[in-house]
Amino acid sequence: MNDNKLLEVKNLKKYFNLRSGFLSQRFSGSVKAIDGISFFINKGETFGLVGESGCGKSTTARVILRLTNPTEGEVIYNNINIFKISSREMFKVRREIQIIFQDPYASLSPRMTVGDIIGEPYEIHSIGNRQERTKKVKNLLKVVGLNPEHINRYPHEFSGGQRQRIGIARALALTPKIILCDEPVSALDVSVQAQILNLMSSLQKEFDLTYLFIAHDLSVVKHVSDRVGVMYLGKIVEIAKSEDLYEKPLHPYTMGLLSAVPIPDPQLERQRKRIILQGDVPSPLNPPSGCRFHPRCPNAQEICSIEEPQLKNYSEDAGEHLAACFFAGKPI
């Protein structure tokens, strides 16, 4: 039994119902954004969640924080099922679970100063007086590498990287235990991405933070994650330690994703075999039967279209390397 778990997701589902007809509003189907995923995050670690756009990564973060209600499943935080507690109790839990949003341009109110944005959590949770809040905000600005004297400036006066630092400061305000990072660097220049990732790494050590790090860029996830989960069309298809996943991927979808990551050495880049996945990602409104990846998989057999593979541990030692594939590890 793992006593180090801080957060556990069990069979989580989120379906968005579609309705047609101007007056009748008849039910016409469900978009299966998340369809039965399970994973856990240990205290102090970074769990990376990767996959193509539209696979359900961001929806997962929003459901965990109860910004969107789930269709089914459980999220256990500190031995509490957060879907079963009251709004008042959830208000307390939100002090310990914070989120950094993807777009630093859209996630900050243009009508509020930086001081008001970062200080708002203190006000909502009735922490300190105005003078104490101002002192805390200035200290947070210093912690994330910004000038405390800029407390009265507005978001439009900052660059994208600086805005994301403001978003990080806001997430840190209530000294959370876990931060959900929803593609926090995807909207930034590559040089700025490295600065933000290094900042988040140093903050994790300084404040003993746990991260759920969502991204579509596997090279970024490799840099920051201890363990990685790979999502495809609302399902998790592989979970492993970061080094195991990158050195020996077992699922053909993971193999395809990794082959798209550029290698900085031109000679090695020319020599390696590129895996081009055929076709497009199917619609989550009508996902394929059996394994959801089988229409695009070079290794697909008849069983793949009939039966859905379950996550199974293929680790050769005492560790954990899960893959949902009938032919896990077979090269493509």
Side-chain angles (χ1 to χ4, degrees):
M1 185 176 175
N2 186 357
D3 295 326
N4 203 31
K5 290 179 188 175
L6 181 62
L7 184 119
E8 185 173 13
V9 174
K10 294 182 179 179
N11 194 35
L12 188 63
K13 297 181 182 181
K14 177 58 185 176
Y15 298 167
F16 294 97
N17 294 334
L18 297 181
R19 300 189 179 278
S20 60
F22 181 67
L23 294 174
S24 62
Q25 289 290 294
R26 294 184 306 273
F27 173 75
S28 61
S30 296
V31 174
K32 297 181 179 179
I34 312 172
D35 198 11
I37 66 170
S38 299
F39 62 89
F40 64 87
I41 308 174
N42 291 320
K43 290 177 185 174
E45 81 167 348
T46 299
F47 183 83
L49 195 59
V50 300
E52 293 170 274
S53 295
C55 70
K57 307 184 301 294
S58 295
T59 305
T60 300
R62 295 182 71 84
V63 172
I64 288 173
L65 204 52
R66 237 172 80 172
L67 298 176
T68 303
N69 290 323
T71 302
E72 194 179 305
E74 297 178 315
V75 170
I76 311 297
Y77 170 73
N78 261 351
N79 300 316
I80 300 168
N81 183 353
I82 65 171
F83 299 149
K84 295 286 179 72
I85 60 179
S86 66
S87 298
R88 185 184 291 271
E89 290 171 308
M90 189 63 201
F91 182 74
K92 296 175 184 175
V93 169
R94 285 212 175 98
R95 291 184 62 160
E96 299 183 9
I97 307 177
Q98 289 292 307
I99 186 167
I100 300 169
F101 292 100
Q102 176 178 354
D103 188 353
Y105 295 89
S107 61
L108 304 178
S109 171
R111 299 183 180 184
M112 295 172 70
T113 65
V114 168
D116 290 337
I117 289 169
I118 300 173
E120 190 174 31
Y122 298 129
E123 194 173 334
I124 291 170
H125 290 270
S126 304
I127 297 172
N129 56 37
R130 189 171 183 81
Q131 193 175 357
E132 289 168 339
R133 290 170 194 164
T134 302
K135 187 178 178 181
K136 286 176 181 287
V137 169
K138 284 187 174 182
N139 183 56
L140 279 172
L141 284 169
K142 197 184 296 182
V143 164
V144 298
L146 293 175
N147 189 340
E149 301 306 315
H150 295 166
I151 190 170
N152 292 319
R153 289 190 178 184
Y154 289 86
H156 73 268
E157 299 178 74
F158 294 88
S159 68
Q162 289 173 324
R163 291 186 202 193
Q164 198 59 295
R165 289 173 188 266
I166 295 166
I168 292 169
R170 177 175 60 185
L172 286 173
L174 298 172
T175 58
K177 291 183 179 176
I178 182 167
I179 297 181
L180 314 180
C181 312
D182 185 10
E183 305 216 31
V185 297
S186 64
L188 306 176
D189 294 339
V190 174
S191 59
V192 180
Q193 285 185 11
Q195 296 171 18
I196 296 299
L197 291 174
N198 289 336
L199 171 66
M200 292 178 67
S201 179
S202 63
L203 291 174
Q204 184 173 28
K205 293 169 188 168
E206 185 177 348
F207 294 99
D208 193 23
L209 296 170
T210 302
Y211 289 145
L212 169 62
F213 195 95
I214 294 167
H216 62 266
D217 187 338
L218 273 87
S219 57
V220 168
V221 172
K222 182 181 182 181
H223 180 70
V224 299
S225 300
D226 300 299
R227 291 187 303 122
V228 179
V230 181
M231 276 190 83
Y232 182 78
L233 207 62
K235 294 275 189 182
I236 287 184
V237 296
E238 189 165 358
I239 298 178
K241 287 182 180 178
S242 183
E243 59 269 23
D244 293 343
L245 188 92
Y246 285 84
E247 287 174 15
K248 192 181 176 184
L250 297 179
H251 198 282
Y253 177 61
T254 311
M255 296 176 193
L257 286 181
L258 287 172
S259 83
V261 177
I263 297 174
D265 186 324
Q267 190 173 350
L268 290 175
E269 179 69 28
R270 284 194 296 270
Q271 290 174 351
R272 73 167 176 163
K273 179 188 173 186
R274 291 292 299 272
I275 300 168
I276 308 296
L277 298 176
Q278 302 300 317
D280 297 320
V281 181
S283 169
L285 184 61
N286 186 25
S289 60
C291 174
R292 296 194 171 180
F293 187 61
H294 86 262
R296 303 175 70 195
C297 181
N299 294 340
Q301 304 290 329
E302 187 180 356
I303 188 174
C304 303
S305 61
I306 300 169
E307 192 177 331
E308 184 180 330
Q310 303 300 312
L311 282 171
K312 181 181 172 184
N313 193 0
Y314 290 92
S315 178
E316 296 171 358
D317 51 32
E320 184 183 64
H321 193 153
L322 307 176
C325 180
F326 293 116
F327 307 100
K330 183 180 177 182
I332 57 175

